[in-house]
Structures are given as C-alpha cells and as structure tokens.
C-alpha cells in the first residue's frame, strides 16, 4: 500500500510505502528536517506538526501532552499509515528554495533506490552448485551385494537421474556406518563443478558431480550456501537457502588483516615478512568465520547445513585466503600467481565449516582486477547486454569494467579505503549507527542525519560521506578544493587536529559520547579517492576512443548504505555528469554474482567466459592516467566541462545561499 | 646363443642359453642330481663329469686336482659355454626310468618358463599416466602480465600441445618461487586421469591432466612410477622408468599387517578393535615404504623422481591402505564399501613420497575379487581375446576369472597363505635361499634342491612347495591323502612335532643352521589350499555349463619362484589335468596390469570397462562349492576322472619305484 506525504509549507510530495518512517521519507524527498541523533528520538530536533492523516507515533519526552494533542510529533518516531500532510515548523526546517531545487535529485534517487533490485543476469535456473537429495537404498543381499558406493550411485541414478558421479575419500570414510545406522535412508550432497581450467573452455561441458557428504535421514531441506566477498577492508557474507534461492542473512565485518595495513600493498609487504603470509591467511579466515557465524546466528541455522561456499575478492585477497604468494602482484610487471584457482576444501584454509564443504574462488583478470569484478559482471548481466555499460566497483580499489556482450575491458585504480570509512576520522562501515543520509541547512548549518537502524550516530559510512561532502560543497561550507570556509557563523565549524572540521553530531547526540566530525584531511582523502576513480574511467574510455556520452548505462557497485545518492556523487565528481536515469545501483556486485553461481551451477562456464573475455588496461605507469588524476583533485573537477550540469546548479545554489546568509 | 647339453647315461638333452647353470639345466631337463645346499657349492653332492664341451667351472674344495683334470665338476658351480656332454655318476643320480618319464614335464616347463614374457594387452602405446616435460617460459612484462599459471599453461600448450589443464593448490604454493629462481625454465609434472566414476563409463573421455608439480630446470629424464601389489601376505613393488617403459627394480616384503592375522578375515576382525583400522593402515603403509625404499636403493634412484603410484590389491587390502571400513566385507552379504576408489595423495595415506604424488587404486569387483584381478585381466589381455581363458591368481585368496572379450565371470575362494609360505613351518617368500626347485631320488630319497640366488636353503617358497608335494607323492613318500609312508629307509623321514616330516636340508647344509623340513601339517594346509582353488574353478565352470575341456587357455598368476612347474601342479591337483600347452604363466599379474596403466594412461577406460564387465559368482554359502571342496582334499582328487593322465603316470611310477626299492 502506498501513501502520499505532503510536506508543508513547501508542498513537496512523495509516495511512500505503508509504515515508512517520516524522517526517512523527508530525506528521500529532499526535505530538510533538523535531526542530530540519527533518528533515535533523543535529540528532539525533528519536531513536525501532523496536519492531516493517520500515523503511528508515540508521545516522546520532547513533546508535551498539549503539543501532542495539537499534532506535534517527532518525525523520526513517526510511521505513516495513510496519506498525510505534515508541516515542518520554522525551527526544524531548512532553506525553502534550495530544498525545492534539490527535490529533483531526491526523486531521481528514489528511482535509483528501486534499482537496487536490478535483475540478475538472464538465462539461469535454480540448479544449485550443490545438490542435496534424499535417497533410499535397498539393503544388500547375497544376490545383490554391490558395494555401498555402487548401491548409492545406482539409487541416485534411479531416484534422481544423477549420473557421472565421483566421490571424495572423506565421504567414504563414514559411509558404511551412516548407511546402516540410518536404515539405508540417507541424504547425499553432491558438489558440481570440475576443477576450473586454466586455458581451455568449460563452455560445452556439463559440470561433473562429486559426492562430498552423506547424512542419515532426510536433511535435504537444510541446504545452505555461503557467498563471500573478501574485500581489503570488509568481509561480507550472504547465507543462501539453496532450496528456495532466498537470501537468509547478510553480514559484514572488517577484514582482520587490516591490523597489518589498510591497503593491498601494505598487506603484500607484510606477507613477505616471516610467517606474514600465514598470519594474514589465518586472519582473513577468522573474519570469514565471524561473518558466517553471525549469519548462522541471525537465522538460527546450523553450520552443518552449509553445503558450499563461493568466494570472490580482489586478486590479492583471493591469493591470501588460499595462502598463496602475493609478492609479484606488487612488483612490476604486477603478475598474480594464478587467475583461475582450484577448488579447495574450505576447512583446509581455516574456514570453520564441515570438512565436506568446498570453496570456489572466482577467477581474477589481473593483479588489480579480481574475482569480485568477474562476479559483479556475471551477476549484473553486463556480459549479456548489447547496451554499452560502465561498471564501477567502489572499494579500497576502484575497479572499472566497460563493455557489452561482445567485448569487455577493465582497469583498476587505487582509491584507498576512504569510501569504506578507512582513513576517515569517524569513518565506519554501513553498520548500526552509521550516518548514511545527510542534509544541511545552509543558513543555520544545522544537520539532518539519518543513521543505519536509526541509532545514535557512531560514525559515517560511504553513502553518508558522499552526502556530507556534496552537502558541505553545495551549502558553501567547503570550497571546490575541499577547504572549509572559515567565517561561517556556526560553532559546528571549528579548527581541529586535522585542519578545520564540521561537527555532524555533538557528543550528547552521538552514540560514542564524542563529537562526530568530518575534517579537512578526511575531505582530502575523499577527493583523492574519487579523483582516482574518475581518472580511471576516463582513461579506460579514451583508450577505446569513447566518452561518457557514449554510455548507455552506469552500474555502481560497492558496499554503500541504502541512501547512495547519484546526484550527490556527481556533485563531488565521483560519478560522471550524465543523465541520472542511466545510473543503476547494484549494491555489493561481488555477492550478487557469487549468489547467482551458488543458485545456478550452469554459470560456471559463463564465469570462465567472462574472465577470459576481459581485456585489462594497466593504469600503473600510465602517464595519461596520472595527468587525469591530478586534474580530478577538485570538486567536482578542475575542468568544468566534464560536469556542466553540476557546475550550473552549484553556482545557482551558491548565489541563493549567499543571499539567504546576508538576510540572516 | 643356445647350446645343447646331453646328460649321460640317460642321453637326455636340453637346449639352454649361453651361460646357463648346469644344475638348473638338469632340473629343467628333469634330470636328478643330488644337491642339498641349494646350489651354493658347499655340500659337494652335485658332482658330475664333463665328457665334452666347454664350461666355466672353478675347482672347488670338494674336487681334488686329479679329479678336476679328469673332468669332475660341481654342477651348481658350472656355467655352459658350448654344447656339452655331462655324465652323472651313480652316486649323484636318481632312478633312470623315472627320470626319463619326467623328461616331458621338464620340456613342457621350459616352454612355460618362456611364457613368463606373455605379451601385454594389445593396443597400448607409451603415454604414461604422468607427463613430465621441460618447459621454457618468457618472463612477464608490463605488456604481457598474465598470471604465472596462465603463462605456464600457455607455454605447455605451445611447446607440448597440452591443453585442458587443471592445477593442484599444493603446486601453486611453490610455483612463483620456482619459476623465478629457475629463470623461468622448469619441468612440469601432470597427472592424467579424472576421478574414477562409480557407474558411468570413462570410455569416450580423454583423461584430463592435473598439474601436480613444478621443478626448476629440466628433470624430465627422472620420471619414475611405482606400481604396487598389496597382498594379504606380501607387498610387492616395481619401479618403472616412464621415459623408457623399463622395469628398473622389483621388490617384495611381507605385509607387516600379518602380525595381526594371516588372512583377510582376521585382519578385518582386528580392524574393528579400537584404533585397529588405523594400525593396519599404518602397517601396510610402512610395508609399502619399505618396498619403495628398497627399489630406490637397488637402482640408486631418488625418491623425488617418483611421479605416480598405481596400486592393486585384494578388496580388503585396498580398503585398508586407504583407511576405509572393512567390516561389511566379512559379514554376510559381504559388501565392500566401494569398488571404484578415488585418487588420493599418496602422502595422505602415509606413503613416504613427495606430496605431489597421487595414488591410483585399481577398482575391485566384489568383496573377494579385488583390483589385483582387474589389473591381471588388464595386463594379460584376457578381455581382448576371443579364446576362452581361465585366469587363476594364487595367493592367500584364490581368485578365478573365466571369460573372453565378450564376457567375464569371476569367483574367489579362501586358500590361506600356504602357497606364499604362510602357515608352513619352513615356508618363505621367493627370496634369496628359498627352495624353488626340488627333485627326489625315489630310492635313496636324497633331494636335489635349487634355491633362489643359489644360496644355502633357508626355507621353501610357493613353487618349491608345489615341487616338494608333487615329488613326495610320485616318489611314494606320501600317499594320496598326504600322509607319510612310515617304513621308508631314510633318516630324512622322521616323526616330528607336527606329524611325520621330510628333511629337505640338514642343518649343516642350510642357511639357517637348522634342518629345513616339510611336515604332515604343512601338507594338510597345502591340500586344503589347492582343494579350494580347484573347487572354485570347477564351480565357476559348472555355473556357466562349461568344463575344463572347453578351456582354450589357462593363465596362472601369483608370486611364485621361477620354477613353477605345471606338470607338478597338475600332479597335486592344483591345476586341471588338461594339455600343458594350454598353460601360461604370468607371474605377478597384478603388477603387470598396474605397470601397463602407468605406461599407458589410455588404459584407464579399459580398467573401468573390465571391472564393470565382470560378473561375480559368490562361493560363500554355496553348497555346490563346499561339496567340491571336500572332494578335492586328496592328491590329486578323490575322483580319478578329473585327473586321468596324472593318475596313469602316478600308478606307473609307483609300480616302478616299488620294484626299484625291492631291488635296492
């Protein structure tokens, strides 16, 4: 059920789902309401007056009984039950015309938000990577005394048309006992997928099946897969129900390797120290164990129900998870040990799952274009479409793929962990309490912050950082080089240890007991990161004699919060200045492709095809890239010509704000 | 070069190779010469007179200078260099007419001896199970920075047309270092053979190749395989040079599991005790290590040159080597865990070889028809011929295959370890000092013994036991029930702890310092063993409405000494009484087939085809078999009709001997 909310006095309307939170609706509509506590209901700044309609909204201590009866509510504690008209009182609201001007962006974002559910690649069906089937054997007799394994194989053939079976020795070790104690009624788990080949194609081959586990009774309904995205900064997992294809849980944790360096280069250096590689291997395995355990706990699932793991990550992370040498990834000419990795037993690399679980690693393309990108291209179906697509994965490395169903080119640039919250004073992952949405009143300079889970703010995640940077820029709080304007009349802007800083949340409103700030040094890091990505995209396009205008689609992948805002990303020069309709937001593309593989083993061949199809353009030692990078270290860019629409609206904003500030 | 030796006064001739030992030539010709020390030259009983021809023969202390000048020589110290005439003086020789009568047998044996080199199965070529090739990589550059593995795979494709390659993770772990320290010049070892499948056929598939090892430089000339025959009593190994196909060494040791029981049943019982299975696994692995180490030592080869291992054994031994449950092999309805075993890493089952070596196990057919039989059928080509063949493998179990290129049936019967020397007081393997040839003077009852390596006798091996039993029978020393005739005038026949016994070698002639004897209990064991085998053959034939006369060929496999004597085997009822020309002696058939596979990976499909083609006839709980077994507990059999020729010559012999004894 949908309802229309109209915000007074600006008469801005937005259609939202039944039960939508009013503060979130305002953020999406581009309507500013002061809010300091991230939506937890404690700062009491987001007071609004319900003029018409039905909402769920308890009286809070910030509202008197009399006010409550007059219609006063706290927006962050209000959930919409009908069409509503909501008036924002002057003390809660921002600047009228700026709000109006930003509305379009809000609408566009709404559309993009919906695109999070971008359809998966086409042509797949639910035929999971592992098969788990109940099977009933007739007990042996003197006349029919075939071996246990032959008996099982015959039954699988007769009852499930499963043929061409091999068996793992570990499974044999327990087979006789299980068959007999279960009364010859068991559940067999079979893993699809021959060993990935290094050169030749899997295309025309049906993956063979290997019997990896036998359990007594019928456990075929407990059939889970784990998909992993091993990032330099973050390790993400999804728990999949292979019976239904549903995603049961998503979890993420910092990669514990981070204690030995923030980026892949420092990790590789550490790996060369004595026992360094083994240490990093064991640390990433422990992070994997943590995300798996959390996903199991969230869903009350049992570890023994896990039947397979598909993992994608950048090339270095993939090597380190398997305990392989990474040294030559770092040294020119930047050579990984292997692109296609063999299947391994997950328990052999320290992943704490039953020893019958195999781990599939997505193949990488080059030292800095990893399996996560191959997985994203698989999941998003870029390789199947005739439209020219630019695929950007924003993480510690920015990885870029350009192409369509006929060709694929890729490149990678080092962005650093800034957009994942790394190297940012109050940066954090998109976890509970992370500021993911941000707005600013350009006159009062009061913020509107919305956090993940509407908890008291604890830090700022990727989408929040984009918003903060874009809002500070368009509210003329920072200039286009990222420096704070010093003479603004707000104690939220102040000198700090790392240059000037803006206070997003005061200590009393924050979840940490400390002020949450963004500093000039943070902003420099963000500018370098977005500059590298933009320069990478431009270099890749130019190397193929293309420009941004030739793009039919841009797909943004990366572990952002829900409120990634394309318009704001364009405003800071992170995304190209092309029509917002061309943008699609994928979320974690790496998980998406891995999920697809686990659900549909037929994708094994496509994965190989994608990895082999991608032409890699090396950006290291590439002078053209370096020049473009330097040019991009400005908001949005030193050359206005790359961002005509952004520059136009920034200039209009700036004029309005200067006027308003003079009035104030 | 061939020479003719004529033995006087009987004028028996035999053609032998240049350099043949004169005592061995006499044994083969069926000419008795007394010899107590096995051929070592110390007993001095085998004195002969060289009447014509050239020999190498040093004067020994048993011959005076005068005698030497007159032509006296010790036969066991004499090697033939031209056609010769040799006179056997009365004190050295046996009974004229019996000798003459046995001559035919000797000739036939000679022919069968030559058949030890029975051609292998047809249609194979030297394409070893592992490929070991030198490969030269171009170092990576910024323009060509494919991964190490891709680079290697491309080079293998270009330089050796090797495609469709997978890789083992262990090999990846050392790859970068090896490539770089070797200056990109390495040797790759690739293992052929996808995992054996349980039901479907491999026939139409080319085995895929897995990269298992990389070594610096060119080591492709050091390319060895080990083939193993894992018997209940004996573990045999061959070391193969895969470069040339040559057998470099053959070694054998008792299976150390024997300390926990002589036959498979007692092993299985022991395996059910706590830690029993692990103990047996580790004992057989240590026996395997011993035979491998001996083979390496004999040839001065390095362990690291071993590239693959093919192992065949009976079903229980195959299970135990892989550490698998054997309990249900013993309990009705006698079900093995698996017929087709997966490839395993040899080091994972305790075989002390480099960890890149995979171990292939021959598939078994039933609980008591193992991979050793499948291997023998492969090696001997029974499955390729239109002739009806009876294949008998004589070990602790007697395993019998009947069939041709269109069909194969098989059965197994428990013989016990008697013909391998187990359960026989002075039984031993066909090792240095084992009596492998035996003859008796029916009047003086003096023996002629020849030992392996012509060392002082230390015991009696399988072929020796057949000879001893047959000779004692035809010399009327034992009766047809296997009991000693008590009133014979020789101190070599005497009562002992295990009934009466015959002394083959006195303590002073023996290598142990004790008398070497055969006892009535030994003879009972041998009769039970041969009875089971004969009953098994008869049951298998009758179940297919066939008789011994329908057979085109009989192939005898088993670890006997060189002098296995078909006629003597027939005389004791071990082999059927059909023309000796139909017999072929294969030696260790299990090793033969394993050798063939290691030399020719294309045989993988044939192995699967053979194993699936064999129909198993269960002899346990088979009343017809039990009846036939009881009937066979006599020498040669209770029913004379099964052995008409043997009975005829036994009776003729007996009459002659009685006459001679009366004369004496």
């Amino acid at each position: 059920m949908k309802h229309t909310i109209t915000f007074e006095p600006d008469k801005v309307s937005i259609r939202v789902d039944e039960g939508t939170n009013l503060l979130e609706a305002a953020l999406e509509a581009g309507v500013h309401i002061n809010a300091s506590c991230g939506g937890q209901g404690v700062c009491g700044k987001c007071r609004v007056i319900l003029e018409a309609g039905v909402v769920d909204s308890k009286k809070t201590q910030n509202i008197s009984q009399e006010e409550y009866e007059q219609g006063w509510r706290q927006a962050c504690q209000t959930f919409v039950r009908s069409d509503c008209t909501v008036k924002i009182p002057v003390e809660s609201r921002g600047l009228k015309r700026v709000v109006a001007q930003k509305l379009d962006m809000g609408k566009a974002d709404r559309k993009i938000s919906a695109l999070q559910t971008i359809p998966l690649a086409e042509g797949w069906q639910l035929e999971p990577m592992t098969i788990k089937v109940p099977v009933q054997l007739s007990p042996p007799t003197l006349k029919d005394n075939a071996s246990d394994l032959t008996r099982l194989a015959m039954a699988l053939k007769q009852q499930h048309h499963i043929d061409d079976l091999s068996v793992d020795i570990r499974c044999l070790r327990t087979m006789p006992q299980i068959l007999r104690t279960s009364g010859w009624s068991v559940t067999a788990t079979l893993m699809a997928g021959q060993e990935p080949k290094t050169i030749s194609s899997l295309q025309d081959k049906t993956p063979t099946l290997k019997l990896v586990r036998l359990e007594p009774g019928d456990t075929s309904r407990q059939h889970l897969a784990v998909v992993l995205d091993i990032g330099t900064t973050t390790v993400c997992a999804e728990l999949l129900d292979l019976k239904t294809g549903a995603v049961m849980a998503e979890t993420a944790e910092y990669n514990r390797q981070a204690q030995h360096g923030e980026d892949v280069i420092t990790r590789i250096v550490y790996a060369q120290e004595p026992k360094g590689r083994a240490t990093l291997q064991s640390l990433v395995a422990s992070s994997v164990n943590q995300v798996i355990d959390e996903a199991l706990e969230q869903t009350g699932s049992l570890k023994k129900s896990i039947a397979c793991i598909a993992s994608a990550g950048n090339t270095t992370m993939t090597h380190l998870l398997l305990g392989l040498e990474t040294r030559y990834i770092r040294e020119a000419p930047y050579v990984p040990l292997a692109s296609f990795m063999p299947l391994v037993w997950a328990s052999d690399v320290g992943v704490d799952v039953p020893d019958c679980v195999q781990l599939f690693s997505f193949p990488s393309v080059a030292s800095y274009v990893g399996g996560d990108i191959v997985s994203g291209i698989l999941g998003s179906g870029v390789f199947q479409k005739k439209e020219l697509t630019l695929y950007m994965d924003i993480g510690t490395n920015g990885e870029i793929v350009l192409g369509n169903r006929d060709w694929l080119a890729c490149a990678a640039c080092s962005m650093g962990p800034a957009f994942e919250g790394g190297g940012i004073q109050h940066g954090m992952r998109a976890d509970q309490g992370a500021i993911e949405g941000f707005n600013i009143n350009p006159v009062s300079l009061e913020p509107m912050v919305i956090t993940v889970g509407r908890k008291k703010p604890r830090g700022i995640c990727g989408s929040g950082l984009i918003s903060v940077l874009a809002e500070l820029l368009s509210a003329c709080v920072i200039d286009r080089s990222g420096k704070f304007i010093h003479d603004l009349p707000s104690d939220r802007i102040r000198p700090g240890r790392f240059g000037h800083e803006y206070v997003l949340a005061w200590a009393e409103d924050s979840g940490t007991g400390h002020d949450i700030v963004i500093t000039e040094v943070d902003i420099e890091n963000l500018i370098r990161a977005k500059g590298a990505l933009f320069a990478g995209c431009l270099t890749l396009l130019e190397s193929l004699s293309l420009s941004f205008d030739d793009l039919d689609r841009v797909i943004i992948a990366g572990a952002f919060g829900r409120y990634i805002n394309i318009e704001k990303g364009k405003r800071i020069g992170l995304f190209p200045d092309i029509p917002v309709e061309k943008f699609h937001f994928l979320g974690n593309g790496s998980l998406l492709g891995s999920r697809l593989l686990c659900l549909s083993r037929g994708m094994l061949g496509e994965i190989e095809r994608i990895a082999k199809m991608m032409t890699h353009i090396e950006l290291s030692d590439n002078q053209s890239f370096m020049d473009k990078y330097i040019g991009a270290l400005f908001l949005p860019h030193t050359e206005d010509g790359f961002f005509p629409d952004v520059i136009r609206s920034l200039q209009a904003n700036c004029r309005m704000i200067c006027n308003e500030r003079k009035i104030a």
Side-chain angles (χ1 to χ4, degrees), chain A:
Chain A
M1 216 180 1
K2 293 274 187 183
H3 304 302
T4 300
I5 308 172
T6 307
F7 291 101
E8 296 284 357
D10 296 329
K11 301 203 186 308
V12 173
S13 296
I14 186 167
R15 297 229 355 124
V16 297
D17 290 331
E18 162 83 8
T20 296
N21 179 279
L22 194 58
L23 189 66
E24 293 184 24
L27 188 79
E28 283 193 36
V31 172
H32 182 92
I33 302 173
N34 290 338
S36 298
C37 70
Q40 203 177 21
V42 292
C43 75
K45 290 187 179 159
C46 61
R47 289 157 45 114
V48 297
I49 303 161
L50 180 68
E51 300 209 320
V54 181
V55 297
D56 278 350
S57 187
K58 283 181 292 191
K59 195 186 95 52
T60 65
Q61 60 183 24
N62 297 305
I63 291 169
S64 68
Q65 187 60 35
E66 191 187 346
E67 285 173 331
Y68 191 77
E69 283 160 17
Q70 287 167 359
W72 289 83
R73 299 288 183 273
Q74 267 189 260
C76 73
Q77 300 300 303
T78 301
F79 300 89
V80 174
R81 297 292 171 210
S82 75
D83 289 356
C84 297
T85 301
V86 175
K87 182 176 162 189
I88 303 169
V90 88
E91 74 268 24
S92 300
R93 79 182 188 236
L95 187 65
K96 179 183 169 183
R97 274 163 298 183
V98 174
V99 167
Q101 201 262 335
K102 281 199 275 185
L103 181 61
D104 287 342
M105 302 179 190
K107 271 183 186 161
D109 285 349
R110 181 76 196 155
K111 195 167 158 194
I112 288 157
S113 244
L115 283 172
Q116 285 198 32
T117 55
I118 190 169
L120 289 171
E122 293 155 11
W124 65 277
Q125 47 205 51
L126 187 60
E127 283 183 345
M129 185 104 134
T130 38
I131 295 173
K132 198 167 176 185
V133 286
V135 57
Q136 186 70 43
L137 285 71
S138 53
T141 64
L142 270 179
K143 284 205 187 309
D144 169 22
N145 60 0
S147 72
D148 288 358
L149 179 60
T150 303
R151 182 170 306 278
L152 177 63
M154 295 298 289
L156 283 168
K157 186 171 184 164
Q158 284 160 9
Q159 293 165 37
H160 299 284
H161 311 288
I162 290 168
D163 205 342
D164 218 11
L165 184 69
S166 70
V167 64
D168 179 62
I169 184 84
R170 310 192 200 194
C171 182
L172 283 181
R173 298 208 193 282
T174 53
M175 184 177 289
Q177 218 51 37
I178 290 173
L179 285 175
R180 285 165 181 83
T181 55
S182 69
W184 303 91
S185 172
V186 292
T187 300
T189 303
L190 301 111
M191 174 80 181
Q194 52 214 98
E195 304 277 302
K197 302 300 184 297
T198 46
I199 339 183
S200 72
S201 179
L202 282 172
Q203 286 297 99
D204 51 4
K205 293 177 198 160
T206 317
T208 54
L209 294 171
K210 177 181 270 198
L211 178 65
V212 291
R213 181 200 268 170
L214 213 59
E215 292 167 292
D218 183 355
T219 62
S220 62
R221 297 179 65 83
Q222 285 80 54
H223 188 198
L224 308 182
V226 169
V227 302
L228 294 173
D229 171 45
I230 314 286
T232 310
T233 305
T234 311
V235 174
C236 304
E238 277 182 2
L239 189 65
L240 304 183
D241 183 346
L242 294 180
K243 200 79 188 161
T244 61
V247 180
M248 300 173 68
E250 283 186 54
T251 53
E253 290 295 337
Y254 282 113
N255 185 335
R256 290 179 187 170
Q257 289 180 340
Q259 62 190 266
H260 297 294
E262 288 203 335
D263 54 29
V264 295
I265 297 301
T266 48
R267 304 278 169 87
I268 293 172
V269 170
Y270 183 79
Q272 285 172 242
E273 291 182 14
K275 294 191 184 165
R277 188 169 9 136
T279 302
L280 292 180
Q281 202 284 326
S282 124
L283 284 168
V284 69
S286 73
S287 297
V288 166
N289 289 333
Q290 195 184 350
V291 288
I292 292 176
D293 287 347
E294 283 173 17
L296 292 171
E297 203 179 309
Q298 277 179 27
T299 56
S301 305
L302 296 175
K303 194 170 271 183
K304 68 175 183 183
S305 303
I306 297 172
C308 65
I309 301 180
S311 167
N314 66 54
T315 307
T316 301
M317 290 303 118
T318 301
H319 278 59
L320 288 175
L321 177 61
L322 301 184
L324 298 174
E325 175 73 84
T326 49
R327 175 172 171 179
Y328 304 101
I329 293 178
R330 176 180 153 242
E331 296 177 4
Y334 317 114
V335 179
L337 166 48
S339 305
F340 291 84
M341 294 296 180
L343 279 176
V344 298
W345 297 102
S347 57
D348 282 357
V349 294
V351 178
D352 179 24
V353 289
D355 73 356
C356 60
V357 175
Q358 287 198 299
L359 183 146
F360 174 87
S361 304
F362 268 74
S364 57
V365 174
S367 278
Y368 294 101
V369 180
D372 47 353
I373 302 307
V374 172
S375 180
I377 295 299
L378 175 77
S380 63
V382 171
F383 71 109
Q384 296 177 323
K385 300 269 197 276
K386 70 169 194 288
E387 288 89 356
L388 180 64
T389 303
L390 177 69
Y391 178 100
M392 294 193 281
D393 189 283
I394 299 174
T396 310
N397 264 278
E399 286 137 339
I400 315 156
V401 181
L402 184 65
N404 54 29
R405 65 188 178 194
D406 299 319
W407 58 271
L408 293 168
C410 62
C413 52
S414 173
M415 293 177 68
F419 284 103
E420 291 176 90
I424 302 293
Q425 197 177 350
H426 291 113
M428 67 178 286
R429 221 183 30 249
D431 249 355
Q432 299 281 309
I435 295 173
E436 55 176 354
F438 177 79
N439 221 328
I440 190 168
N441 180 318
V443 177
S444 69
L445 302 176
E446 281 302 296
M448 171 185 186
V449 301
I450 291 208
T451 59
V452 176
R454 293 202 313 280
K455 296 284 186 288
K456 281 189 171 185
R458 305 180 56 83
I460 321 166
C461 71
S463 59
L465 287 165
I466 293 172
S467 280
V468 168
L469 200 58
E471 288 292 304
L472 293 180
L473 177 68
S474 59
C476 299
V477 176
I478 56 172
D479 63 21
R480 287 180 59 195
S481 69
K483 300 298 176 205
F484 278 96
I485 291 161
H486 291 186
D487 55 355
L488 292 177
S490 168
D491 53 359
R492 286 186 182 266
I493 300 163
R494 65 187 187 193
R497 269 207 301 156
F498 301 100
H500 269 61
E501 59 192 27
Y502 174 82
V503 182
L504 288 90
W506 298 110
E508 65 263 28
D509 291 328
S510 87
T512 61
H514 302 287
D515 296 348
I516 308 289
V517 304
I518 184 144
T519 71
E520 257 176 18
V521 170
D522 293 341
I523 292 169
E524 277 170 26
N525 283 334
L526 290 166
I527 289 175
R528 274 199 289 271
K530 71 92 195 171
L533 182 71
F534 186 83
C537 292
L538 193 59
T539 310
L540 186 59
L541 279 162
E542 285 189 0
S543 74
L544 293 151
S545 304
L546 293 166
S547 76
F548 286 111
D549 292 332
D550 294 314
L551 298 175
D552 296 313
R553 301 195 307 168
V554 177
I555 294 180
I556 314 291
F560 292 102
R562 283 172 302 158
Y563 289 99
I564 184 155
N565 183 309
I566 295 299
E567 203 63 50
K568 288 177 181 174
K570 284 159 65 171
R571 208 184 301 163
I572 64 169
L574 178 67
F575 302 144
D577 192 5
I578 59 174
V580 79
E581 290 76 15
K582 291 188 173 180
F583 283 86
H584 301 258
F585 178 53
L586 192 65
N588 187 319
S590 168
L591 288 178
L592 193 69
S594 297
R595 188 197 309 163
L596 182 59
L597 172 66
C598 284
L599 298 181
S600 183
R601 59 184 175 274
M603 292 293 127
L604 273 175
E606 298 292 4
I607 290 167
E608 192 168 322
R609 191 163 73 89
I610 292 167
K612 288 179 177 163
M613 198 171 154
M614 280 202 207
T615 305
H616 177 238
I617 311 289
E618 182 66 59
L619 298 184
S620 318
D621 301 332
N622 181 322
Q623 191 54 48
S624 164
F625 169 75
M626 281 310 295
D627 295 344
K628 289 180 174 60
Y629 171 64
I630 302 296
L633 296 178
F634 210 60
L635 295 171
H637 198 278
T638 48
E639 287 183 41
D640 290 357
F642 280 120
F643 291 88
D645 292 345
V646 169
I647 297 293
R648 206 171 306 123
S649 78
L650 275 180
Q651 285 169 345
N653 251 15
C654 198
R655 275 191 300 273
M656 277 189 294
I657 289 165
C658 289
N659 284 336
E660 294 282 344
R661 281 185 186 155
K662 277 177 201 155
I663 294 163

